[in-house]
Amino acid sequence: MMKFTKWNFIFLVGGIIVYIADIGVDFWVASKYFYQGQYCWAILILCFRGLSSLITQIFSYNWFKNDWNGTDPGKLDWIFLVHFFQCGIFIRYWFALKYGSQAAFGQDISGDVSETDPPNIIQKQAIDVLTDINMLRVFKTFLETTPQLFVQIYVLMEHNNHNFYQYAAIIISFCGISFSMVDYQISLRKSLPDKEELQVLSKFVYLFYKLLTITSWVLSISLMTLLSVRSSVILLILLWSCSFAWTLKQHTAFCTSKRMEYLYRTVVGIILLFTFFNIKGRKTKACVSIYYATHTLVTLGILLLCLFWKPSVIKEGHLTIVSILTILSLVLGIIFLAVYYKYFHPTIYCKQQTFFDEVDRRAGDSMEVGRFQNFIKQ
């Protein structure tokens, strides 16, 4: 049975702290770039922040609207206003703390969940709210954190001017990616009641699989940008077009409106630029093999271009280290991927059981059990 534990609550609090720290670091880094006269990089950092915030607010508000289904228009107007000022995520964190404390510690709270509600309903409320937050964090990770990581690494290689705040931004970016990936997978397992939760070893295997493959890809694209910014942009647009076309072919049905569904598919296309996701919950062996084979070929192609087209790039000491790290992280990432899919991947996805129907009936609300399962199953 799904269970929201005290450890989940602790990680939830940690996630709030990391989220706030990430906002501060973004503005800190941007201010440093402005101070140094590097206005282009400062504006780019802020654009990534603004874009990810706008898109996550749109999804968050639409989920509130779908869940409440117009039952309280006045409350929904207030929710819209908060999202308009880009603070909607804090409402979700407040609900998560509210339901999470009840589920994990059994404290009395006021609101939608009463003292007489069965523990299963309280657990479901807490897990659903946490799941929505982790979905939004995945969006934010690949709309903001990963592109910012690419920018930071590129600036370091291009200008060979190493500063503390740049290293700090890179470390924060890696931490953000790591937290969102692990939390997402934990939420996925919790949403599948027949699946065991991730153990410590499987969490680390999954973490390193994602972290290393993403690191290799970010480094290789950074090298490509050093060769030619135009070629790098063309490559990313081409890969995004292929990813978007694949999402169209999958006929996803995550959102209730066509406009939101196309926005969702657009975001998934961006996510697929950096890591693999199976958006339909089907067998992934062929798809994941093609995906990472393509990434491997592109990465090797970029390294060969650096070696033969502009060998002066590789001759620089720190760029030689970057090239070695690119290959090493790619090889290790593929190894961790193979181990994860062989020993830890939930290969059979269960259907919703009558337990959830009973919970929904007794809860008397419109919270969707299946939203997360309509999202991205790996």
Side-chain angles (χ1 to χ4, degrees):
M1 182 184 71
M2 299 182 300
K3 188 175 181 181
F4 188 95
T5 65
K6 295 179 180 179
W7 279 111
N8 294 135
F9 188 85
I10 293 173
F11 277 108
L12 172 64
V13 175
I16 298 174
I17 296 173
V18 170
Y19 183 85
I20 296 174
D22 184 56
I23 295 176
V25 169
D26 285 342
F27 286 103
W28 178 48
V29 172
S31 67
K32 289 291 185 180
Y33 281 138
F34 271 117
Y35 179 76
Q36 294 178 354
Q38 298 176 332
Y39 303 115
C40 179
W41 301 123
I43 293 173
L44 197 58
I45 292 291
L46 294 178
C47 284
F48 286 137
R49 156 61 61 180
L51 177 64
S52 70
S53 179
L54 177 62
I55 291 178
T56 54
Q57 301 301 319
I58 291 174
F59 277 106
S60 178
Y61 174 72
N62 275 271
W63 295 346
F64 271 121
K65 188 167 63 174
N66 293 337
D67 289 342
W68 291 356
N69 198 22
T71 55
D72 193 344
K75 197 173 184 180
L76 198 58
D77 290 340
W78 177 74
I79 292 292
F80 172 80
L81 185 63
V82 176
H83 281 80
F84 179 80
F85 288 103
Q86 307 298 301
C87 296
I89 190 68
F90 293 108
I91 298 179
R92 292 196 170 273
Y93 272 123
W94 182 83
F95 277 117
L97 292 172
K98 175 182 175 182
Y99 297 140
S101 62
Q102 177 74 1
F105 302 101
Q107 298 176 356
D108 293 337
I109 58 173
S110 60
D112 297 337
V113 181
S114 67
E115 290 181 336
T116 57
D117 284 326
N120 287 342
I121 296 179
I122 299 173
Q123 292 286 338
K124 176 181 177 293
Q125 290 268 20
I127 291 173
D128 284 349
V129 174
L130 181 62
T131 298
D132 283 346
I133 290 176
N134 287 331
M135 292 166 70
L136 293 173
R137 288 181 63 190
V138 170
F139 287 158
K140 177 184 176 297
T141 293
F142 293 100
L143 290 172
E144 176 193 339
T145 308
T146 307
Q148 285 180 347
L149 178 62
F150 157 72
V151 170
Q152 295 296 326
I153 294 175
Y154 171 75
V155 170
L156 283 177
M157 293 190 299
E158 173 69 17
H159 300 285
N160 197 21
N161 184 17
H162 303 171
N163 297 301
F164 169 76
Y165 69 86
Q166 291 175 315
Y167 286 115
I170 291 174
I171 293 173
I172 292 293
S173 296
F174 273 120
C175 289
I177 294 172
S178 304
F179 267 104
S180 65
M181 290 293 95
V182 174
D183 287 346
Y184 161 72
Q185 188 66 2
I186 291 173
S187 295
L188 175 62
R189 292 295 187 97
K190 284 182 177 294
S191 72
L192 301 173
D194 283 353
K195 297 299 175 185
E196 296 182 359
E197 294 189 26
L198 286 174
Q199 302 301 314
V200 175
L201 180 59
S202 56
K203 289 178 183 177
F204 275 103
V205 171
Y206 179 78
L207 170 64
F208 285 116
Y209 144 51
K210 286 294 183 182
L211 195 57
L212 290 168
T213 52
I214 291 173
T215 298
S216 173
W217 185 243
V218 170
L219 291 177
S220 62
I221 295 299
S222 299
L223 287 173
M224 180 68 181
T225 307
L226 281 179
L227 292 177
S228 172
V229 175
R230 180 181 299 179
S231 299
S232 179
V233 172
I234 292 175
L235 175 63
L236 290 176
I237 292 176
L238 177 62
L239 292 175
W240 176 84
S241 300
C242 294
S243 300
F244 182 71
W246 184 71
T247 63
L248 293 177
K249 190 174 184 297
Q250 297 299 304
H251 301 291
T252 60
F254 174 63
C255 301
T256 56
S257 68
K258 288 186 178 180
R259 286 183 298 180
M260 288 301 299
E261 189 64 33
Y262 277 107
L263 178 61
Y264 164 71
R265 292 171 180 176
T266 300
V267 172
V268 170
I270 295 174
I271 295 172
L272 287 168
L273 284 177
F274 300 101
T275 192
F276 176 80
F277 284 105
N278 175 25
I279 58 179
K280 294 291 286 186
R282 296 171 181 170
K283 292 182 178 181
T284 60
K285 184 177 180 180
C287 292
V288 79
S289 299
I290 294 172
Y291 181 88
Y292 283 108
T294 301
H295 268 219
T296 300
L297 290 175
V298 173
T299 299
L300 293 177
I302 291 173
L303 292 175
L304 289 175
L305 282 175
C306 291
L307 184 61
F308 294 106
W309 183 20
K310 289 188 177 181
S312 60
V313 172
I314 297 297
K315 287 181 181 179
E316 297 185 29
H318 65 284
L319 293 178
T320 301
I321 296 175
V322 170
S323 301
I324 295 174
L325 287 176
T326 300
I327 298 175
L328 185 62
S329 58
L330 175 62
V331 173
L332 292 177
I334 296 299
I335 292 174
F336 277 106
L337 180 151
V339 172
Y340 172 76
Y341 274 84
K342 183 174 178 61
Y343 298 106
F344 302 109
H345 181 253
T347 53
I348 301 176
Y349 293 98
C350 65
K351 296 181 179 180
Q352 294 298 322
Q353 299 177 334
T354 56
F355 162 77
F356 291 110
D357 296 331
E358 178 66 13
V359 169
D360 283 338
R361 183 185 66 80
R362 295 172 68 180
D365 59 15
S366 62
M367 291 187 87
E368 298 180 4
V369 175
R371 172 157 61 214
F372 192 56
Q373 294 187 336
N374 287 336
F375 180 51
I376 301 174
K377 291 181 179 177
Q378 302 184 56

